[in-house]
Amino acid sequence: ALYRNFLHSQNISKATINTASADTFYLWRKGSKDLFWNTVTATDFETEAKNALIKTLSEYSTGNVNSLVSGYLSHLRRFRLFLA
């Protein structure tokens, strides 16, 4: 709920907020809460996040993983901004 409030404060459309809310926590839902937090707080965030997303999306998604990674990564970056 706090993250959704943050997204609202960024003047993001409701549809984008709904997508961001789901996509941000993809690693949590499909992997684990530890995978999510270890990825989000990683020192080498960009590399760790990309690798975790590629692995998880490859396992659970039927879409083109390479085209999906950047969107999910963008949502994780925004969540890190929220945490900061």
Side-chain angles (χ1 to χ4, degrees):
L2 292 174
Y3 183 53
R4 288 180 70 85
N5 289 340
F6 168 78
L7 294 173
H8 280 290
S9 76
Q10 302 296 301
N11 293 323
I12 297 171
S13 74
K14 184 174 179 161
T16 302
I17 288 171
N18 291 336
T19 300
S21 296
D23 289 1
T24 298
F25 298 99
Y26 182 81
L27 290 176
W28 185 310
R29 288 191 325 277
K30 297 297 185 178
S32 69
K33 68 178 179 180
D34 290 336
L35 173 63
F36 173 80
W37 284 114
N38 289 339
T39 301
V40 167
T41 61
T43 302
D44 187 6
F45 167 75
E46 293 290 327
T47 301
E48 294 291 328
K50 188 172 183 180
N51 290 339
L53 286 166
I54 288 171
K55 181 177 187 248
T56 306
L57 285 164
S58 294
E59 189 172 343
Y60 293 101
S61 176
T62 58
N64 181 331
V65 171
N66 292 327
S67 66
L68 294 172
V69 167
S70 64
Y72 284 90
L73 191 55
S74 174
H75 292 299
L76 288 174
R77 283 187 199 111
R78 185 170 303 179
F79 185 75
R80 283 173 51 97
L81 179 64
F82 162 72
L83 292 176

